[in-house]
Amino acid sequence: MNKKILIVTHWFYPRQNPRAFRAFELYRQLAVNNEVEVLIGDWKVLLRRDQDYHLLDKYDTSLVNGKNATFSNSKFIQIGLKIVQYFIGERYILNSGKFIKKNIELSKYDAIISIGLPFYVHWIVAKKINKYKGKIVSISDWGDPFYGDSGKKVAKYFKYIQKFVCETFDYIVIPTSNAMNYYKNYTSDQTKIKVIPQGFDFSEVKVSEYKQNRIPHFAYAGIFYLDKRNPELFLEFLTTLETDFVFTIYTITHGEIYQRILLKYKRILKSKLVIHDMVSRLECIRLLSKNDFLINIDNMSNVQVPSKLIDYSLSGRPVLSFRQDEIPCEKFKAFLKGVYDNALEISIDDYDIKKISLQFENLINGG
């Protein structure tokens, strides 16, 4: 049955990050059988059901990234942002919160899907639907935990705000069952917690024909953090190897990790370390497929599954996965020799966007 659905998100096309991918892929697939509109905090746009999403092509993410680089390379600005983040949760609420709140008209829709993080999206949507309970199906989709996450230092009152949010929505959607115990702490009705992983349109993926490189090539794609997925120990380990290799990283080329860690090891490893800025998701998969193997640095907790693992699997290359504080030296040396017995096994069948969209439709239709 055709439904009128509003997706509320901060990140969306043409941004290149997991939450933007989640919102965009879900929007496209749900729109096949439903009337879907998207409220985008990042661009301050309401994408209506009769509009082509390509109108968003005008938003030049390179200009935005350049502005972000100016901020993130300043220690004083970063300290200020951390202080602000501690008290209000995220700085994005200052720029986009009023726009999101003003443009949610619940009477126009049968269902609303709030996609976070940023957490402010869930918070504002929850306050809206709290006065509209029973008249609309509400779904909060979580990529990462908010309160208590090591990478986000926020005031203790956000624990109670997050509990209010989780209690208010009809459904709490999480990407992995590993996170179930975390979210059980924030709702009295644990049956509302549903596991629906990240979804992608596999038909768009194109890979290069793989040919073994004369010198071992391996790669990493994604964002690093100081508290989790920190590459410093791995890069230090690489400096001890006498063999030739080329390690290519696709990441954000600004901020504390880049300035303090990546540039330091670029000077040490020289041509053995290649650092590129982020590229589009499909292009990244194609580039990854040219490598002999790929590197994944696990999250420090088990409540998150990086969406990059789906892209890694689509690239067709073996994956060596490890925690930032547990470098598997011998396994890595075996990978350099082309022995991939310890490669991470990734099944991608469950991540087909058609299956993912159907699970959301089932929730909306009362399934």
Side-chain angles (χ1 to χ4, degrees):
M1 182 184 298
N2 183 286
K3 296 287 186 179
K4 296 179 180 179
I5 303 170
L6 176 65
I7 296 174
V8 185
T9 182
H10 183 80
W11 306 116
F12 198 70
Y13 175 91
R15 283 285 195 179
Q16 299 293 311
N17 64 49
R19 292 287 85 191
F21 299 148
R22 175 66 151 186
F24 179 60
E25 296 283 5
L26 196 58
Y27 151 74
R28 287 199 301 177
Q29 190 60 40
L30 284 175
V32 173
N33 297 313
N34 303 278
E35 298 178 29
V36 183
E37 297 188 337
V38 188
L39 188 59
I40 309 162
D42 192 19
W43 307 133
K44 296 184 178 63
V45 168
L46 174 60
L47 183 64
R48 301 189 182 278
R49 62 179 64 98
D50 58 349
Q51 293 179 308
D52 188 332
Y53 68 84
H54 282 294
L55 68 86
L56 301 174
D57 289 341
K58 65 183 180 182
Y59 293 99
D60 189 341
T61 56
S62 65
L63 295 178
V64 177
N65 291 339
K67 183 179 180 181
N68 289 342
T70 301
F71 288 133
S72 65
N73 288 336
S74 169
K75 292 182 180 179
F76 294 106
I77 292 177
Q78 282 300 299
I79 292 172
L81 288 176
K82 287 179 180 179
I83 294 172
V84 170
Q85 174 181 281
Y86 181 82
F87 289 105
I88 68 171
E90 294 141 339
R91 68 183 185 275
Y92 306 111
I93 193 172
L94 299 176
N95 298 325
S96 305
K98 184 177 180 181
F99 171 81
I100 290 290
K101 182 179 180 181
K102 179 182 177 181
N103 286 279
I104 296 177
E105 298 182 35
L106 297 178
S107 61
K108 297 171 56 179
Y109 306 99
D110 301 304
I112 185 168
I113 302 173
S114 174
I115 295 183
L117 301 177
F119 175 74
Y120 88 89
V121 176
H122 290 330
W123 189 5
I124 291 175
V125 174
K127 291 178 72 174
K128 282 277 190 175
I129 63 176
N130 190 44
K131 301 177 181 179
Y132 214 77
K133 292 283 285 184
K135 300 178 182 180
I136 189 172
V137 178
S138 57
I139 301 172
S140 62
D141 182 81
W142 298 72
D144 298 332
F146 176 65
Y147 183 79
D149 181 73
S150 61
K152 306 177 185 72
K153 305 296 183 183
V154 296
K156 289 185 178 180
Y157 48 74
F158 277 102
K159 177 180 180 180
Y160 304 100
I161 295 174
Q162 181 166 302
K163 187 172 179 63
F164 159 74
V165 167
C166 290
E167 292 283 19
T168 303
F169 279 90
D170 293 324
Y171 297 103
I172 301 167
V173 171
I174 59 178
T176 169
S177 59
N178 293 340
M180 189 70 72
N181 288 334
Y182 171 85
Y183 287 96
K184 284 180 178 179
N185 295 318
Y186 294 95
T187 177
S188 56
D189 181 7
Q190 298 176 4
T191 63
K192 68 163 64 175
I193 306 174
K194 307 297 180 183
V195 178
I196 305 179
Q198 192 90 345
F200 293 108
D201 183 355
F202 298 156
S203 66
E204 295 183 327
V205 175
K206 293 180 174 59
V207 298
S208 298
E209 181 181 353
Y210 171 68
K211 295 180 180 178
Q212 184 176 4
N213 294 284
R214 183 178 61 83
I215 297 173
H217 281 56
F218 53 99
Y220 173 94
I223 300 174
F224 296 113
Y225 302 94
L226 288 175
D227 299 317
K228 57 184 179 181
R229 300 204 296 273
N230 188 322
E232 187 165 15
L233 286 181
F234 179 61
L235 291 170
E236 182 62 30
F237 162 68
L238 293 182
T239 66
T240 68
L241 302 178
E242 296 181 359
T243 184
D244 287 334
F245 60 81
V246 176
F247 179 29
T248 303
I249 297 175
Y250 299 93
T251 192
I252 295 173
T253 53
H254 58 79
E256 190 172 6
I257 289 281
Y258 179 71
Q259 294 288 334
R260 199 181 87 186
I261 298 175
L262 296 184
L263 290 182
K264 169 187 173 181
Y265 285 96
K266 174 61 180 176
R267 290 190 291 268
I268 297 172
L269 291 167
K270 299 179 181 178
S271 61
K272 289 184 176 182
L273 179 61
V274 179
I275 304 171
H276 287 298
D277 207 343
M278 303 284 276
V279 296
S280 71
R281 176 178 169 262
L282 293 177
E283 175 64 6
C284 187
I285 294 174
R286 187 187 69 81
L287 292 170
L288 292 176
S289 70
K290 295 182 176 183
N291 287 270
D292 297 298
F293 62 93
L294 306 175
I295 295 294
N296 176 61
I297 302 178
D298 288 333
N299 292 311
M300 294 300 287
S301 67
N302 66 349
V303 298
Q304 299 160 266
V305 174
S307 60
K308 72 163 63 66
L309 291 179
I310 305 168
D311 293 342
Y312 277 12
S313 182
L314 291 172
S315 76
R317 304 311 309 140
V319 178
L320 179 62
S321 186
F322 52 88
R323 287 167 54 109
Q324 67 179 39
D325 57 345
E326 298 176 353
I327 310 303
C329 303
E330 296 307 315
K331 291 180 182 178
F332 177 80
K333 291 176 182 177
F335 268 62
L336 283 179
K337 296 176 182 177
V339 180
Y340 306 127
D341 295 343
N342 290 291
L344 180 66
E345 295 291 334
I346 308 169
S347 175
I348 64 172
D349 291 342
D350 293 338
Y351 301 99
D352 188 322
I353 188 58
K354 293 179 181 178
K355 293 182 179 180
I356 300 304
S357 176
L358 183 60
Q359 292 178 69
F360 274 91
E361 288 186 10
N362 286 340
L363 294 182
I364 291 170
N365 292 320

